[in-house]
């Protein structure tokens, strides 16, 4: 059996190739027929070369990208069938982080601290079959993979949102421990901003403030339906002044920074926190932060925590939350592309195509 696969070979260079699918799944693993793969900002960062620049060695090219996988289990090794409680034919979402399950960190936390952590979409084509990403017709699943069954009521496109939503649940509920009555500031109005808004609102936040660019302002009505009280324009006015104004000078309890590239948002976020506030940094930055006042963290007893991906809890609860459909998740789907159009999809996602308003894009192989 063969699989078409979109192979990233260099910066802004993707080739559609035909790759042999292994006859059998790996021991303790499975073979997945991909039915949808969502794209997020980090896919554009890989495409544009920003990710390799920001973190050399993270993405060994060439590789098959794609880390928001939805698909049908075609073949399942008996060991995996028992351990994962799945059967061939089951429709599942796949967490991109593969934990070994054996090391000390795996046994003491559900976070991504595994000492031998693997990530789909960052594994080279030269390893085994090379089918380690969602931008292909088939994918190999290794032992240690977290698969979560998808209820029939959920479409493939909706299910693909498990990734941004699972991240948001991990960042806001597990890491920042948002409590009823908290005020939450979300930096960035992309798909992660929408997901964070819904999760903060669902967790009982009394006030949800989101910042975006000038071009994001058209998203305000939809963001409101995801629980946001206010969408600020971070381009035309000072974020800190606006947040202080809204909170009567008190600042917010929690900040989550989803903005990639610039560290300015992180500096603004720190300045928006009340004493003892919690900050989660999620966007991958291009460089160091200028003018970081360490005393502002020390004397105000701030908590600053970086996050990279989700957790078992986050992914499971994301599928549950998507199924409950308390928020209009389906309205986030702005584009759908075929595998051969991945290049165009990524340019739309990165804002390179005039007139397009990307929010959540899905590749359907
Ligand atoms: Zn992502
Ligand atoms: Zn481990």
């Amino acid at each position: 059996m063969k699989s078409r696969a979109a192979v990233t070979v260099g910066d802004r260079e993707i080739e559609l190739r035909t790759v042999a699918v292994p006859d059998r799944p790996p021991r303790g693993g499975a073979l997945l027929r991909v039915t949808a793969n969502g794209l997020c900002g980090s896919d554009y960062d890989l495409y544009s070369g920003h990710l390799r620049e920001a973190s050399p060695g993270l993405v060994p090219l060439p590789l098959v990208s794609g880390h928001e996988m939805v698909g049908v289990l075609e073949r399942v090794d008996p060991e995996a069938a028992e351990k994962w409680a799945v059967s061939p034919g089951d429709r599942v979402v796949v967490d991109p982080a593969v934990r070994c399950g054996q090391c000390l960190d795996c046994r003491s936390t559900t976070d991504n601290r595994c000492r031998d952590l693997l990530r789909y979409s960052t594994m080279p084509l030269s390893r085994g079959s090379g089918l380690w990403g969602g931008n292909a017709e088939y994918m190999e699943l290794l032992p240690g993979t977290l698969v979560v069954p998808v209820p029939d009521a959920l479409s493939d496109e909706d299910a693909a949102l498990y990734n941004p939503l699972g991240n948001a649940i991990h960042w806001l509920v597990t890491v920042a421990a948002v409590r009823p009555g908290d005020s939450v500031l979300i930096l960035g109005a992309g798909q992660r901003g929408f997901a964070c808004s819904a999760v903060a609102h669902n967790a009982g936040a009394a006030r949800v403030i989101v910042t975006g660019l000038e071009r994001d302002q058209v998203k305000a009505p939809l963001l409101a339906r995801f629980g946001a009280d206010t969408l600020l324009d971070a381009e035309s006015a000072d974020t800190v002044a606006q947040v202080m104004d809204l909170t009567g000078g008190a600042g917010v309890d929690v900040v989550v920074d989803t903005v990639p590239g610039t560290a300015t948002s992180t500096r603004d976020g720190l300045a928006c926190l009340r004493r003892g506030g919690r900050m989660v940094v999620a966007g991958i930055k291009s460089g160091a932060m200028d003018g970081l006042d360490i005393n502002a963290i020390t004397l105000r007893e701030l908590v600053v925590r970086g996050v990279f991906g989700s957790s078992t809890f986050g992914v499971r609860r994301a599928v549950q939350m998507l199924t409950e459909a308390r928020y209009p998740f389906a309205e986030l789907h702005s584009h759908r592309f075929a595998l051969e159009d991945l290049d165009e999809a990524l340019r739309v996602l990165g804002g390179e195509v005039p007139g397009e308003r990307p929010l959540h894009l899905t590749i359907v192989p």
Side-chain angles (χ1 to χ4, degrees), residues 40 42 67-68 163:
C40 89
S42 73
H67 61 277
E68 299 187 359
N163 189 289

Side-chain angles (χ1 to χ4, degrees), residues 99-107 113-117:
R99 304 160 185 90
C100 78
Q102 309 294 326
C103 72
L104 202 61
D105 291 304
C106 274
R107 281 179 285 152
R113 306 242 181 92
C114 174
R115 291 166 193 195
D116 297 308
L117 189 77

Side-chain angles (χ1 to χ4, degrees), residues 8 22 58 71 97 129-130 138 148 184 210 278 311 339 356:
T8 302
L58 182 67
S129 70
Y138 287 89
V148 179
V184 178
V210 182
R278 293 98 74 195
S311 63
L339 192 57
E356 298 288 353

Side-chain angles (χ1 to χ4, degrees), residues 17 19 22 51 79 87-88 90 93 117 127 144 174 220 224 238 246-247 282 287 314 355:
R17 293 193 193 169
V19 177
L51 199 60
E79 237 175 72
S87 315
D90 284 358
V93 299
L117 189 77
R127 179 182 177 139
T174 306
D238 180 60
L246 278 170
T247 56

Side-chain angles (χ1 to χ4, degrees), residues 296-357:
I297 296 175
T298 312
L299 300 178
R300 288 163 58 227
E301 302 198 330
L302 304 182
V303 178
V304 183
R305 172 68 201 267
V307 286
F308 190 32
S310 187
S311 63
T312 307
F313 173 79
V315 175
R316 287 193 190 284
R317 284 296 162 92
V319 172
Q320 186 183 332
M321 200 172 154
L322 288 165
T323 309
E324 286 164 1
R326 187 175 172 199
Y327 302 90
F329 294 110
E331 292 186 37
L332 292 181
H333 309 309
S334 59
H335 296 77
R336 175 197 279 230
F337 289 93
L339 192 57
E340 48 270 36
D341 298 324
L342 177 60
D343 187 275
E344 189 194 343
L346 290 166
R347 283 186 288 111
V348 168
L349 175 67
E352 294 182 14
V353 181
E356 298 288 353
R357 283 194 194 140

